[in-house]
Every structure is written in C-alpha cells, then in structure tokens.
Amino acid sequence: MCMGYKDNTTTTMAELSPLTKQEVASMLVQEIAKKGDEIPDNFLHKDGIPEAIYDPDLWRNDLLIDFSLLSSSSTTELAKLRSALSQWGCFQVINHGIEVSFLEELIEVSKQFFALPLEEKLKCFEAFQGYGSDTYSFKPKTSNWNDRIFLSLSPKEKVNLQCWPQKPQNFRIMIEEYSKKLTTMNEVMSTAMAKSLNLDENCLRFGKREPASIRFNFYPRCSSPKRVLGSKPHSDLTTLTYLLPEKDVEGLEILKDDKWYKVLPIPGALFINFGDSGEVMTNRVFKTSVHRVSTNSVKDRISVAVFFSPKDDEEVGPASELISANQPQVYNKYIMSEYLRAFFESYKLGSGRPLDAFQI
Ligand code: OGA
Ligand code: NI
C-alpha cells in the first residue's frame, strides 16, 4: 500500500493511476540533489529572489515571548503578544515547558527518516499524505526545494496510518506525544490571545482541539540558493502553526511591509505563526504571517510544523466582539472547504491570496 498515484486533476483525488518508483523519485528533491549540481528548470526563480534583512535584536526583544509569563497572565507579556500578532503575525516562544531534549530528539528522528533508503521511505508514499513532494501532489508552476512527510492527525477519519513511518522505531510514538504536548500548549496560547484582546477566554475557539496535521520538512543543500526557494512565499491555512526549526540552520523568512526578515533561530524556542483562519476569526486584528524558506549551499535543513486549523465542514468567520465602527468586518464567513479550494488554486499558480476571494 501507499505506493504512488498519478493525479491528473491536481486538487482532487480523482483519476489516479499507478506511478512507478522512477517517476516518484524524479520529483523528490533529495534524489535530484544526489545527481549533481544541476537544478531542473521548474525550481528556478528566474527573476531572482529579493534579499532578506538580518535583525537579530528583533528576535531577542519584541518577538520573543515567555510562555510561563503568559500562563500567569502577566499584563506586560500579554501586551507584547498582542503587539507581535497585530504587527507581525508571529513570534518565538521560550519557557514553553516542552523539554529541549524531546525537541532535539524529534529533529534527530526526522533526520534519520530522510536518511533511510528510498525503498523504505516509499513505503510511506501516497498522493497527498505521507512521504513525498508537493511538486508531485499539486504540480505548481515553480517547485519548492523540499521533500516532506505530511500526516493528518485529526479528525480521525483523515488519519491514514499506512502512511506513517515505521522507521525509526520511535517515530510514531514521538508524533503522538508531540501532538499531545502542543494541544495543551495551544489551549493556553489561545486563552492568552483572547485575554490580550480583552475577550472572553473561549472567544477565539482556537483551543480545545487537537492539531489537524504535522509536516516534516527536509530542505537539501542547494547549489543555487540565489535562484531557488525551499518554500515559496505563502501564508498557512491555519489558526496557528507551531514550527520547530533545526537550531543551527537559518532559512525561514517573514514578510512585513514589503520587506523580508530572516528569522533568527533561538535555541530551544518554538516559532509560532498566525494563519489565514486566525486572521479571519480575529477580523484581521491579528495578522496572518506571509513567510518563505530560503536555501543554502552548505547544510541540509529540517523543520517540523504542526498545524491547528478548522475542520473542513466548519464555518469560519470573525468574532462579533472584534467588529466595530473602527474595524468593520473584513471577510465574509465561509465553510473551510470553500477556502481550501482557493488555497490550493493559489498554491498551484504561485500567485494570488486565497483570502481575497472572501474579502468584503
Ligand atoms: C510550512 C513552513 C517553514 C520552515 O511548513 O508551512 O512554512 O521553516 N515551514 O520549514
Ligand atoms: Ni508555512
């Protein structure tokens, strides 16, 4: 099971036919990189990539949140959280209570997975979940220099255990444990976000749910970092994304006022960003964060992203408390599945913002 399928429609599961191992391998960046320094055309950003600003102080001050202070409802920390989310849509969090040794082990087992023989990894291959590449799943105009394991975690109907790695041995258990730890953390975070806006604790409906999915990103070193991106500019479809980047390798960059900023990895910290669903639910009081991943020619890079998002059949709309004369309603309500169609279309084209379709 979990062998490949050829997909003619790109955004639906329809009309899938078996795919050979060679065809799958030809789309995996790790396999392409093994062949030599030549980069296939579909990865090249021919007009170049705008440079990013390096401002380490930003990450040591304004965008560094102490989770233990949020838990104790510190007024200054809540104000800092509010400011980070309304201006940047992201921050890094320390003192979050998840053991650093656990996070390091998670990165380590991810590395071990991507180092397995192709044959073993392909046991977890399927069109949209498991091991593979988005080039294969979505046929974008320009491809990302990235392979991944993408796994649905909830609701239960979407979980496909056949795509879950069996090796390394402790991988599955670690995913389950990490998911539990982040569920607890996300509940505290959601409450803190509501409090920072003087809202009722449950107002934002971000908490009290499990993550929807997890994504292990592998970005092999790249011979042409000036013309290739690990991930093109995008916003996540989530309420909140929790990202664990490898501690010694930079790559993540965020956009603010048309300028790109490098994210400085803080040892032991998690990077948290707001997604499109969060922007809609807060009536754009908190902003989605547009981000991208650069490549480098020296080191491979791993990251683990956990996504909290509304269910496909859920209605997404602004909290009424956040609509006012000063802040009129920005987006019409929609069902999550309607948004997902717009999301995949814009991903494929590499242009447009999925939320534009719902703007009032
Ligand atoms: C993502 C993402 C950033 C990174 O998986 O959506 O933006 O640093 N990842 O890997
Ligand atoms: Ni992202």
Side-chain angles (χ1 to χ4, degrees):
M1 260 314 283
C2 286
M3 266 316 291
Y5 295 91
K6 189 168 277 171
D7 153 22
N8 299 321
T9 59
T10 70
T11 52
T12 77
M13 289 283 217
E15 298 174 45
L16 299 172
S17 63
L19 194 74
T20 67
K21 183 179 146 188
Q22 283 76 14
E23 283 175 294
V24 175
S26 73
M27 287 180 242
L28 292 167
V29 176
Q30 203 177 354
E31 297 302 311
I32 295 168
K34 266 188 207 157
K35 284 197 208 147
D37 283 350
E38 204 171 317
I39 311 272
D41 237 33
N42 59 310
F43 290 95
L44 296 177
H45 292 258
K46 299 211 169 84
D47 299 332
I49 297 164
E51 287 265 335
I53 300 165
Y54 182 62
D55 180 2
D57 284 345
L58 181 65
W59 301 102
R60 295 190 186 120
N61 300 310
D62 292 0
L63 297 184
L64 190 62
I65 299 283
D66 185 330
F67 186 77
S68 65
L69 296 178
L70 288 183
S71 314
S72 58
S73 295
S74 144
T75 323
T76 16
E77 210 63 9
L78 287 175
K80 208 170 159 188
L81 178 71
R82 178 180 180 148
S83 155
L85 284 173
S86 51
Q87 292 182 54
W88 295 82
C90 64
F91 54 89
Q92 292 193 66
V93 63
I94 48 167
N95 293 333
H96 42 61
I98 303 181
E99 309 77 9
V100 174
S101 58
F102 178 89
L103 298 177
E104 283 175 350
E105 197 184 342
L106 192 60
I107 292 285
E108 197 45 47
V109 290
S110 317
K111 271 188 195 167
Q112 286 166 11
F113 175 84
F114 287 106
L116 288 170
L118 180 61
E119 205 77 40
E120 180 64 36
K121 287 182 285 194
L122 286 178
K123 289 182 186 164
C124 313
F125 188 89
E126 190 255 2
F128 293 93
Q129 284 200 46
Y131 173 62
S133 88
D134 291 349
T135 301
Y136 168 71
S137 304
F138 301 114
K139 317 279 185 295
K141 265 194 179 160
T142 314
S143 293
N144 289 334
W145 194 252
N146 165 265
D147 294 336
R148 47 88 174 140
I149 316 169
F150 177 78
L151 303 170
S152 288
L153 298 173
S154 77
K156 283 204 168 52
E157 314 85 81
K158 284 196 154 191
V159 177
N160 181 359
L161 283 177
Q162 279 166 327
C163 297
W164 285 47
Q166 308 233 18
K167 287 183 184 170
Q169 210 200 344
N170 51 346
F171 207 180
R172 288 185 172 207
I173 290 178
M174 290 206 72
I175 295 173
E176 280 164 6
E177 236 182 275
Y178 192 42
S179 165
K180 275 192 206 135
K181 287 177 198 284
L182 286 185
T183 304
T184 311
M185 184 172 167
N186 188 51
E187 216 172 309
V188 177
M189 200 48 99
S190 305
T191 306
M193 286 179 185
K195 274 192 192 155
S196 80
L197 293 170
N198 299 318
L199 295 177
D200 181 74
E201 283 189 10
N202 298 316
C203 216
L204 295 179
R205 293 185 292 125
F206 290 174
K208 297 206 176 11
R209 65 172 74 206
E210 295 171 332
S213 51
I214 187 164
R215 183 179 170 111
F216 298 85
N217 288 302
F218 182 67
Y219 307 96
R221 69 198 79 182
C222 174
S223 61
S224 192
K226 287 206 157 54
R227 293 189 303 161
V228 177
L229 283 172
S231 181
K232 287 176 291 181
H234 68 279
S235 50
D236 294 344
L237 55 83
T238 52
T239 47
L240 281 172
T241 302
Y242 290 71
L243 185 90
L244 169 65
E246 189 168 358
K247 65 177 176 204
D248 305 321
V249 199
E250 287 176 12
L252 182 59
E253 296 168 353
I254 55 165
L255 185 68
K256 181 173 190 286
D257 302 331
D258 292 328
K259 289 194 198 105
W260 287 99
Y261 293 81
K262 289 176 197 280
V263 176
L264 176 79
I266 305 273
L270 290 170
F271 175 89
I272 298 184
N273 68 270
F274 223 60
D276 284 0
S277 304
E279 174 164 312
V280 172
M281 287 154 96
T282 58
N283 198 29
R284 211 196 265 158
V285 170
F286 288 165
K287 312 262 183 325
T288 191
S289 147
V290 174
H291 51 284
R292 69 179 190 190
V293 178
S294 62
T295 53
N296 78 78
S297 57
V298 183
K299 269 187 156 180
D300 300 340
R301 177 173 180 270
I302 295 263
S303 72
V304 184
V306 172
F307 305 107
F308 286 84
S309 51
K311 298 191 182 74
D312 293 3
D313 58 358
E314 204 169 313
E315 187 180 74
V316 182
S320 53
E321 295 85 342
L322 295 175
I323 302 172
S324 64
N326 286 340
Q327 184 74 12
Q329 184 169 348
V330 181
Y331 301 105
N332 285 312
K333 286 182 189 167
Y334 55 77
I335 303 295
M336 192 59 186
S337 56
E338 297 172 315
Y339 164 89
L340 289 174
R341 272 197 291 277
F343 181 87
F344 291 122
E345 193 56 29
S346 93
Y347 181 87
K348 201 175 129 188
L349 295 174
S351 64
R353 229 173 72 97
L355 279 183
D356 285 350
F358 305 98
Q359 192 147 346
I360 293 176

